[in-house]
Amino acid sequence: MIKSRLDLQYALEEILGAKHVYYQPPTSLQMTYPAIRYQREDIAKIYADSEPYSRSSSYQVILITKNPEDPTIQKLDDFPYSAFDRQYVEDNLYHLVYVIRTPLLYKV
């Protein structure tokens, strides 16, 4: 279960089969492809008695690959709480955009 950003990092590295997973990389970073770039997109909170009771984060996850039939696509499709958003091509690289929402995390 994904409980933190680092859990998501490890899961994405496992899906990709490589360490080319980058969290909010600077534009100057030279990436090795295929790669996954991701960033936090939203934090949703549920309140109880005017206090935050639970929260979940969503991340924009972009698979960047030279292969339009990359097997990582199917793995991201099968990943829990993921939804395909869109695809575009830039600099002869395919960018497949997913949104992954972590499950609700409750206060202890």
Side-chain angles (χ1 to χ4, degrees), residues 5 8-9 12-13 15-16 18-41 58-65 72 76 86-91 93-100:
R5 188 197 63 79
L8 180 59
Q9 174 82 26
L12 293 173
E13 288 174 359
I15 286 171
L16 188 61
K19 296 278 187 185
H20 308 295
V21 177
Y22 307 96
Y23 178 66
Q24 298 181 191
T27 55
S28 61
L29 180 73
Q30 182 67 29
M31 290 193 265
T32 303
Y33 304 109
I36 292 177
R37 182 180 76 216
Y38 71 107
Q39 64 188 26
R40 187 183 324 270
E41 188 171 77
S58 64
Y59 294 87
Q60 181 187 68
V61 175
I62 303 173
L63 171 64
I64 306 168
T65 181
T72 308
L76 282 171
R86 66 188 176 280
Q87 175 180 317
Y88 60 94
V89 179
E90 187 175 294
D91 297 328
L93 293 168
Y94 294 89
H95 294 67
L96 293 100
V97 182
Y98 288 83
V99 175
I100 296 179

Side-chain angles (χ1 to χ4, degrees), residues 62-94:
I62 303 173
L63 171 64
I64 306 168
T65 181
K66 297 174 184 177
N67 178 3
E69 300 299 325
D70 193 306
T72 308
I73 297 167
Q74 184 64 45
K75 293 176 185 178
L76 282 171
D77 280 338
D78 294 341
F79 192 76
Y81 307 103
S82 75
F84 178 77
D85 186 23
R86 66 188 176 280
Q87 175 180 317
Y88 60 94
V89 179
E90 187 175 294
D91 297 328
N92 294 320
L93 293 168
Y94 294 89

